[in-house]
Amino acid sequence: MIERIEALRAQGQDAVAAASTSEALEELRVRYLGRKAELPQMLRGVAQLPPDERGAVGRAANQARQALEALIDARAGELGAGELETQLREDTVDVTLPGAPVQPVGRMHVLTATQRLLEDIFLGLGFTVLEGPEVESVHYNFDALNHTPTHPARARTDTFYIERPQGPQPGSPEELVLRTHTSPMQIRAMEAHPPPLYVVIPGRVYRPDSDATHTPQFHQVEGLAVDEDITLADLKGTLLAFARATFGETREVRLRPHFFPFTEPSVEVDVSCFHCEGKGFLRDGTRCYLCKGEGWLEVLGAGEVDPNVYAYVPTTDHNAPGYDPEKVRGFAWGLGVERAAMLMYGVPDLRLLYANDLRFLEQFG
Amino acid sequence: MRVPLTWLREYCDPALDVHGIEERLTMTGTKVEAIHHHGVHELEHFVVGHVLRAERHPDADRLTVCEVDLGAARPEGPATIVCGAPNVAAGQDVAVARPGSVMPDGTKLKKAKLRGVASEGMILAEDELAIGSDHNGIMVLGELLPNAQLTRGGALAEVLPIATEVLELEVTPNRPDCLGVYGVARELHAATGASLTPAPWNEDPGSGGPLEGAEAEVRVECPELCPRFTARVFHDVTIAPSPPWLKARLMAAGQRPINNVVDITNYAMLLSGQPLHAFDLARIAGRRLVVRRAHDGEQVQTLDGQTRTLDAEMIVIEDGEGPTSIAGLMGGARSEVQPDTSSVLMEVATWHGPAIHRASWALGLRSEASSRFEKGLQPEQCLHAQAIATRLMIELCGASVMPGTIDIGGEGPPPLSLPLRESRVQDILGVPIPRVRQAEILNSLDFATAEVPGGLDVSVPPLRRSDVTREADLIEEVARIDGLEKLPATLPKRRNAYGLLTPTQRLRRRAIDALVGRGCYEAVGWTFAAPSIADRLQLPAEDERRRPVVIENPLSEEQSQLRTMLLGSLLDVARHNVAHGEPDLRLFEHGTVFRWKDDKLNEHRSLAVLLCGKLAPSDWKNHSAASDPPAADLFVAKGLLEALADTLRVSDLVFASEPQPFLHPGRSASVSLGATPIGWLGELHPLVAQTWELPGAACFEIDLDRFLAHASRPDYLDLIGYPPLRQDLAVVLPEQVPAAQVLDVVRAAAGKLLADVRVFDVYSGPQVGEGRRSLALSLAFRASDRTLSDEDVTPVRERIIAALGDLGGELRG
Ligand SMILES: [Zn+2]
């Protein structure tokens, strides 16, 4: 018996050593260790042996079985690793093919992206964002912003009026217009909140102009800061921060005196040209097309809040103690989103912004 | 406004070149928009010549071959110049352009052969130099410049103003005083410190008081529209061309010379900013002028031969035979100055600016005069212009002025006196400006100042009356002249300020980001809509979207309404892109829509999505027809909206079958939040798709404001400690029972333990029988305090099955 066991063990060892595939090895496992194989049969038959043989045979058979088992497992590990390697090699794909399925990518409109950027800049400077109605009363759009009753901007040639069959008489403060600027929200903001006030107001505005450089609707980001000690120098610093955040950190701003009914002093704000670094001409000596040789780009209008404007803000429970021009001062600006977007991205024609051609939209946002 | 630099320098001549002047004017508030060059270039080639001989060209009747003495400019002897002008003759002093000259239009003159004769340059007519418009003959300098010293070979520029830089200025509406050359000179004086000559109207050869001789009578019936009307009378007027210097100035300023009287009116306007009008006194019927409002519908024939229809807000000037002109806008032909005019009534009036602005736009009549009047001129300017014109009428037309001036309305109110606190300047600007400097600046701008404790008392000159009325206005004057470039850049204190978007603003950004992340392109369309959109969307007569907000003065019929929904603009965008070869579209837009609610105008933000064609490009891995990328349909649009709701944590989104006039009747749904309708969803009606030339589209539009208001703020729930128990259930129901109803019934029957239920499969076919379908539901049960067992859930499941039975459902399988 013992001899047979040793023979089986030796035979098995040789066979396992010779097996070259996992498949062949599994056959050997069945042949030597399976239910009907000789070695397990012997183990089961140990009980029928004379008692003095049982111990030795049982031990030998058991050892042989364990040894073969261990051998087969080890060999299986060896073979498996090699086979997996081969199989993985065969599974190689062309990684340079496109991703699939294609994930469609969307885009935010360049005006939205630009407006967000501007909002974020002023959020970072401590301003909050307010929004307001696009149809405004003449009171908010003109009267409260210190436009004289005969100011030309009120004319039907310069402002869209809303038709109201039983509405107020022309010239009434209750007449409705499409707001011509985001500035009416200056008044609404002051009506709703006491000073100090630091807000920006993005939004769509309307004027009856339509040509290469005007669309009848466009977007502005209004700014308003009112506190007890605001100066024109603070306006300059705030807009310098905006200019550098938007157009590059080496930008400078210059304030040029101008006129707006609701600011005094009023200024136009130029930013040094980022295309020619404010020189007006390029390295090859040609005139800079962007600033037309001026070295400066006109970007927005601004000024110190005209004291008359505060007088239009009634003191209420919401904004107590109210806005007293001897006690508060402020600055305001109105910035064109289209202009900023066109400058930032080099968009040559305003009308592209509203054509919504996919070949344009896919380039931004 | 165009200001010839040589003219400007006559009153204020700082030691700066044109760019230096540009910089000072721009930085003090008078922006130089452009610098033009008017006239010729390469001045050294333009000389005075003397015609020694003039003989007909041997081969051309109309040409004359001239021998011209150019003195030192051509020491080797006279030049041969071929001339085409009929008036050239020996003995004349003439203007000569030699080869190398560059003419006003930029062409460079070369030696040329004219019919076989070599010509060394050109003998010039005034229009060739752009100092006049006459091309009937060459300039005979001796006649034109009787007092000039003409040297043969001498520089032409010494005797004729043949070149100047011209500043194109942007004058802000508050500064009509800068609409004249002298006003700009005063700015330049203040901006540079260079001295300023006395005003050109300081010496007035005319006089005030009643007009002598009662030769004309004026009545102003509408003083509210005509604050001042002045007139002077001139006799012995000789109408003739103006002298070269005057023509040249007008040309450089952009005005065409006509005759001396008309040119004088234009010159005086350009210098003082105040327009004038010259009447032929003899042609004023009844020698009587009446200024009155026009009648509504009154028709007037203007100088240009057109008939204009007026209204009561416009002003006419009439004589004994009716209207002769529309005030401030255009004169009438009847009383115009003619070659035979010998007596002139010079009218200078102040008109109500806004009335002129309005009339000018309404009638489409714009002129140098109207653009000045509409800004609102001061009454004092009338006599400024009269003084300048009177001097020139006497000098250039040989006229005599009648003593006295018709003057209705007179000067404006006396000068305003304003206090200027020295410290307030620093408060506003952030930097101090000493009181002495403040006074210096104000004085240079013609304000009178007096020192008082703490600051200055400032008296406002009449021409600045409407612009400077408060201390703040004075501070602006001081600041702009002292130089805003000196301001430091500081940041405000920002007390109590913090920058943060509101929750709604953040959610709106998130909504946009979610759609963009799912492959949608944002469009920005027009707020304006065409009236025809209601028909194109098949809206029935009673649809409230047929009663939009209407613009009273639209740019065009197509842009005369405010949109009531975004769908129209998205359809327009889709059509544009499909027409340009892009059939697969995923578009969205958010924006304001407008409606009347009772008598109140309601505006809110809307969000619309339009999907068209395939949702993604085909790819190389899944190229069989069966696995082509899905095409847009109701369920894709709905999936997008549901994803949006999920992103923003908007629960309670309810869909119900409901038609919309522009949607496929079987594929349209209302969208509600609970019981509140917020929009619609569906596939486009094929006829509507056809109208927009689209193959079809799936869309939705919702009230974005309400949607965002429903977003819930995240709040921690323990979903980790006790895992859910999941079970599936397949139920066969009559097919007309909507899935939403099934889910509602399940939720109601299950109670609190049911955390989630959704449909994951739908089957209809022979196995479930005609008119029935099977819905496979996945159920998730969860308790917050324990892990649920099957025993916990069994009674719930039984309640669900019973409730489904009430709907006609039976468990499947
Ligand atoms: Zn540049």
Side-chain angles (χ1 to χ4, degrees):
Chain A
M1 281 300 266
I2 300 289
E3 291 77 34
R4 181 62 190 151
I5 287 169
E6 290 309 317
L8 277 172
R9 182 176 175 166
Q11 195 186 345
Q13 278 170 350
D14 290 349
V16 168
S20 61
T21 66
S22 301
E23 220 175 9
L25 201 61
E26 286 314 304
E27 273 172 31
L28 293 178
R29 195 192 295 277
V30 174
R31 187 183 317 153
Y32 290 98
L33 302 174
R35 276 180 61 81
K36 293 174 185 155
E38 199 175 343
L39 205 53
Q41 298 271 20
M42 282 178 174
L43 262 171
R44 277 194 292 277
V46 165
Q48 276 87 56
L49 291 178
D52 58 329
E53 285 179 33
R54 284 182 199 164
V57 170
R59 218 168 11 255
N62 214 18
Q63 278 170 358
R65 195 193 63 174
Q66 279 171 4
L68 276 178
E69 230 167 42
L71 208 60
I72 288 171
D73 285 350
R75 184 69 185 141
E78 277 168 38
L79 285 176
E83 278 169 12
L84 183 62
E85 203 175 310
T86 314
Q87 192 191 335
L88 293 181
R89 219 173 0 251
E90 283 165 3
D91 267 354
T92 301
V93 297
D94 177 0
V95 298
T96 64
L97 282 170
V102 178
Q103 302 296 315
V105 169
R107 297 286 178 197
M108 208 186 298
H109 195 280
V110 67
L111 287 176
T112 303
T114 305
Q115 183 179 313
R116 267 197 202 183
L117 174 76
L118 298 175
E119 287 172 5
D120 289 347
I121 291 168
F122 292 112
L123 284 165
L125 287 168
F127 288 72
T128 47
V129 178
L130 291 183
E131 288 151 332
E134 294 177 24
V135 172
E136 266 293 5
S137 66
V138 159
H139 168 76
Y140 283 108
N141 198 76
F142 293 123
D143 298 348
L145 289 167
N146 200 36
H147 286 62
T148 55
T150 54
H151 194 281
R154 297 171 181 262
R156 262 123 178 106
T157 49
D158 290 45
T159 299
F160 288 117
Y161 282 77
I162 299 299
E163 200 171 280
R164 285 164 90 183
Q166 282 91 42
Q169 287 301 304
S172 152
E174 306 307 317
E175 263 199 299
L176 295 179
V177 299
L178 279 170
R179 63 177 173 187
T180 57
H181 43 190
T182 39
S183 312
M185 277 301 291
Q186 289 188 23
I187 308 298
R188 290 185 182 274
M190 288 192 277
E191 284 177 351
H193 307 282
L197 186 64
Y198 293 88
V199 294
V200 291
I201 305 118
R204 186 175 288 192
V205 301
Y206 305 87
R207 290 179 201 173
D209 283 327
S210 189
D211 57 38
T213 53
H214 298 88
T215 44
Q217 74 182 29
F218 55 103
H219 298 80
Q220 290 186 329
V221 174
E222 190 86 6
L224 175 68
V226 185
D227 208 333
E228 59 194 51
D229 51 7
I230 296 272
T231 67
L232 199 59
D234 292 339
L235 169 68
K236 186 173 183 179
T238 304
L239 294 176
L240 180 64
F242 146 75
R244 291 187 173 174
T246 312
F247 300 112
E249 59 189 22
T250 57
R251 298 282 67 77
E252 295 295 338
V253 296
R254 74 173 188 188
L255 309 187
R256 268 187 297 107
H258 199 71
F259 170 75
F260 303 106
F262 44 100
T263 49
E264 187 82 10
S266 299
V267 294
E268 279 192 317
V269 182
D270 297 339
V271 174
S272 61
C273 178
F274 51 84
H275 190 65
C276 62
E277 288 294 325
K279 293 188 182 72
F281 51 88
L282 305 178
R283 218 168 280 159
D284 63 6
T286 57
R287 198 176 75 140
C288 174
Y289 77 90
L290 192 61
C291 61
K292 303 193 170 53
E294 286 193 34
W296 295 94
L297 299 164
E298 188 181 317
V299 170
L300 57 90
E304 288 276 296
V305 176
D306 192 294
N308 286 10
V309 169
Y310 299 122
Y312 283 98
V313 181
T315 302
T316 64
D317 290 347
H318 301 293
N319 69 357
Y323 288 79
D324 175 352
E326 282 296 314
K327 295 196 178 122
V328 294
R329 298 196 295 275
F331 62 70
W333 74 80
L335 161 61
V337 178
E338 278 81 355
R339 169 101 173 127
M342 290 171 76
L343 283 175
M344 271 194 287
Y345 299 104
V347 177
D349 187 340
L350 177 63
R351 288 167 291 200
L352 285 168
L353 298 173
Y354 291 105
N356 292 302
D357 190 303
L358 239 59
R359 295 163 293 186
F360 177 81
L361 297 180
E362 70 187 5
Q363 298 178 43
F364 307 99
Chain B
M1 189 179 66
R2 287 170 62 98
V3 175
L5 193 58
T6 46
W7 193 357
L8 181 64
R9 285 192 193 272
E10 191 175 310
Y11 309 105
C12 180
D13 189 13
L16 294 170
D17 70 358
V18 63
H19 297 291
I21 289 175
E22 172 195 22
E23 193 270 342
R24 287 318 304 147
L25 285 175
T26 294
M27 292 312 292
T28 51
T30 312
K31 185 169 191 217
V32 177
E33 302 256 43
I35 299 171
H36 305 286
H37 179 90
H38 182 85
V40 300
H41 304 258
E42 310 293 341
L43 298 189
E44 68 273 20
H45 299 299
F46 292 87
V47 294
V48 176
H50 183 79
V51 182
L52 299 171
R53 286 196 307 174
E55 287 167 6
R56 180 179 298 169
H57 190 292
D59 299 321
D61 280 356
R62 296 203 174 161
L63 295 180
T64 308
V65 180
C66 305
E67 293 285 301
V68 184
D69 181 0
L70 299 178
R74 198 176 189 284
E76 62 270 33
T80 303
I81 300 177
V82 179
C83 181
N87 66 330
V88 67
Q92 291 170 336
D93 286 317
V94 294
V96 175
R98 306 191 65 208
S101 300
V102 176
M103 306 309 287
D105 64 0
T107 50
K108 190 169 184 170
L109 213 60
K110 294 184 194 126
K111 279 189 192 174
K113 264 194 178 171
L114 289 160
R115 296 284 181 101
V117 180
S119 179
E120 272 184 57
M122 252 170 92
I123 300 176
L124 299 162
E126 64 177 33
D127 70 323
E128 288 161 334
L129 286 166
I131 59 170
S133 54
D134 187 8
H135 191 64
N136 291 322
I138 55 148
M139 287 183 292
V140 180
L141 298 182
E143 292 168 17
L144 287 172
L145 306 166
N147 303 321
Q149 191 76 35
L150 297 172
T151 315
R152 296 172 195 185
L156 188 60
E158 298 275 309
V159 294
L160 282 176
I162 56 175
T164 179
E165 311 292 340
V166 178
L167 305 177
E168 190 181 324
L169 303 176
E170 180 196 5
V171 176
T172 53
N174 60 324
R175 297 300 306 273
D177 60 302
C178 286
L179 293 171
V181 174
Y182 189 75
V184 177
R186 178 175 289 289
E187 283 293 308
L188 189 59
H189 160 63
T192 62
S195 63
L196 179 72
T197 65
W201 49 78
N202 276 6
E203 281 176 31
D204 182 2
S207 54
L211 182 67
E212 255 181 42
E215 294 187 83
E217 191 192 327
V218 176
R219 197 168 79 235
V220 175
E221 292 182 349
C222 51
E224 70 284 3
L225 297 180
C226 177
R228 192 178 198 182
F229 189 104
T230 68
R232 283 182 177 175
V233 168
F234 298 87
H235 292 302
D236 312 319
V237 174
T238 308
I239 303 292
S242 296
W245 68 265
L246 176 50
K247 286 187 182 180
R249 283 194 173 170
L250 295 181
M251 290 286 289
Q255 295 252 337
R256 204 180 143 82
I258 309 286
N259 60 45
N260 49 5
V261 172
V262 174
D263 293 352
I264 286 168
T265 63
N266 284 328
Y267 180 84
M269 171 183 76
L270 292 170
L271 181 53
S272 69
Q274 167 70 51
L276 310 83
H277 183 71
F279 289 87
D280 181 333
L281 182 62
R283 290 185 167 91
I284 299 175
R287 298 206 163 187
R288 181 167 170 276
L289 294 173
V290 176
V291 178
R292 61 162 172 85
R293 285 174 185 268
H295 311 300
D296 270 325
E298 182 169 1
Q299 294 197 323
V300 174
Q301 193 174 22
T302 42
L303 205 52
D304 52 7
Q306 293 204 41
T307 301
R308 316 263 176 183
T309 306
L310 310 185
D311 65 36
E313 296 304 311
M314 300 175 185
I315 318 158
V316 292
I317 303 176
E318 70 176 3
D319 64 8
E321 289 173 9
T324 70
S325 46
I326 306 172
L329 297 183
M330 193 172 264
R334 191 146 42 82
S335 50
E336 203 189 349
V337 170
Q338 306 278 345
D340 67 350
T341 296
S342 65
S343 293
V344 164
L345 180 137
M346 190 66 76
E347 171 233 303
V348 186
T350 311
W351 306 109
H352 182 60
I356 301 296
H357 176 74
R358 185 184 158 278
S360 150
W361 277 96
L363 298 173
L365 281 173
R366 288 188 65 73
S367 65
E368 289 276 339
S370 73
S371 71
R372 285 175 171 78
F373 282 130
E374 69 187 21
K375 307 276 181 352
L377 302 178
Q378 295 302 328
E380 286 76 3
Q381 291 177 270
C382 288
L383 289 190
H384 297 171
Q386 289 284 16
I388 296 168
T390 304
R391 182 173 57 78
L392 291 174
M393 288 292 288
I394 294 167
E395 256 176 47
L396 305 182
C397 308
S400 54
V401 59
M402 289 299 291
T405 304
I406 294 175
D407 187 351
I408 300 165
E411 294 187 345
L416 189 65
S417 185
L418 294 172
L420 176 60
R421 290 168 284 178
E422 185 175 8
S423 61
R424 187 73 177 167
V425 174
Q426 178 169 6
D427 289 348
I428 297 287
L429 302 182
V431 283
I433 298 176
R435 195 186 308 187
V436 184
R437 174 71 178 138
Q438 295 179 16
E440 180 185 88
I441 289 169
L442 289 167
N443 296 155
S444 72
L445 292 167
D446 207 23
F447 292 77
T449 56
E451 290 246 6
V452 293
L456 299 168
D457 254 353
V458 183
S459 170
V460 181
L463 266 62
R464 303 299 306 282
R465 180 184 287 133
S466 61
D467 178 36
V468 179
T469 58
R470 302 155 309 166
E471 186 182 38
D473 303 320
L474 294 173
I475 293 171
E476 175 174 60
E477 295 300 303
V478 169
R480 72 183 178 90
I481 299 296
D482 190 57
L484 295 178
E485 61 269 37
K486 293 179 193 163
L487 287 181
T490 55
L491 284 176
K493 298 283 188 303
R494 290 167 289 176
R495 294 182 184 85
N496 298 355
Y498 56 90
L500 187 65
L501 292 175
T502 62
T504 306
Q505 288 163 350
R506 267 178 294 150
L507 286 166
R508 201 184 309 132
R509 283 191 178 194
R510 186 90 172 85
I512 292 166
D513 290 343
L515 289 170
V516 168
R518 280 161 199 282
C520 296
Y521 280 72
E522 184 193 3
V524 172
W526 295 102
T527 294
F528 310 102
S532 63
I533 189 145
D535 285 341
R536 286 183 284 147
L537 288 176
Q538 309 185 150
L539 301 182
E542 68 282 6
D543 196 301
E544 62 162 3
R545 289 167 292 202
R546 271 201 182 267
R547 281 176 293 284
V549 178
V550 174
I551 300 173
E552 182 195 302
N553 51 334
L555 282 180
S556 70
E557 175 82 0
E558 288 296 287
Q559 297 175 306
S560 62
Q561 302 184 346
L562 306 190
R563 55 184 174 181
T564 59
M565 55 197 299
L566 302 182
L567 177 65
S569 89
L570 276 188
L571 286 169
D572 292 344
V573 173
R575 170 168 54 196
H576 169 91
N577 283 294
V578 168
H580 286 83
E582 189 53 73
D584 303 323
L585 298 170
R586 306 170 303 275
L587 298 168
F588 76 99
E589 180 169 359
H590 63 100
T592 309
V593 295
F594 305 81
R595 289 200 204 159
W596 289 113
K597 283 259 162 74
D598 305 321
D599 199 26
K600 282 255 182 291
L601 193 142
N602 170 281
E603 56 180 272
H604 70 260
R605 270 193 199 73
S606 191
L607 171 74
V609 165
L610 182 146
L611 307 168
C612 182
K614 291 195 300 249
L615 295 172
S618 308
D619 64 68
W620 59 272
K621 266 180 91 176
N622 305 295
H623 48 62
S624 71
S627 61
D628 251 0
D633 65 9
L634 178 145
F635 293 106
V636 175
K638 184 176 177 185
L640 203 54
L641 178 50
E642 284 172 332
L644 198 60
D646 202 358
T647 304
L648 302 180
R649 299 186 184 83
V650 172
S651 52
D652 218 8
L653 199 58
V654 179
F655 299 86
S657 179
E658 187 182 288
Q660 277 287 350
F662 44 84
L663 294 181
H664 182 309
R667 299 185 171 203
S668 65
S670 62
V671 180
S672 308
L673 287 168
T676 312
I678 61 154
W680 50 263
L681 162 86
E683 291 174 25
L684 216 54
H685 195 292
L687 294 178
V688 174
Q690 205 174 17
T691 303
W692 266 273
E693 294 156 327
L694 300 175
C699 334
F700 68 78
E701 179 159 351
I702 57 168
D703 181 332
L704 185 59
D705 292 338
R706 288 192 182 193
F707 190 70
L708 297 183
H710 245 69
S712 55
R713 184 176 158 277
D715 223 343
Y716 178 73
L717 279 178
D718 184 1
L719 301 182
I720 298 159
Y722 301 103
L725 182 77
R726 297 183 195 282
Q727 291 189 353
D728 291 347
L729 194 75
V731 60
V732 177
L733 288 146
E735 68 184 2
Q736 65 271 22
V737 179
Q741 193 186 351
V742 175
L743 298 185
D744 281 347
V745 162
V746 169
R747 282 191 205 99
K752 273 198 337 197
L753 288 186
L754 183 69
D756 190 29
V757 54
R758 56 189 66 203
V759 176
F760 72 91
D761 197 19
V762 181
Y763 173 79
S764 48
Q767 291 178 31
V768 294
E770 184 84 358
R772 294 172 76 75
R773 65 174 177 175
S774 158
L775 297 180
L777 309 178
S778 91
L779 308 163
F781 301 95
R782 184 189 294 112
S784 58
D785 54 353
R786 68 206 143 106
T787 302
L788 292 176
S789 66
D790 283 340
E791 290 75 58
D792 290 323
V793 166
T794 304
V796 181
R797 189 182 168 91
E798 275 162 10
R799 288 205 303 275
I800 291 173
I801 291 165
L804 289 173
D806 293 344
L807 276 182
E810 53 194 50
L811 233 45
R812 189 176 169 215

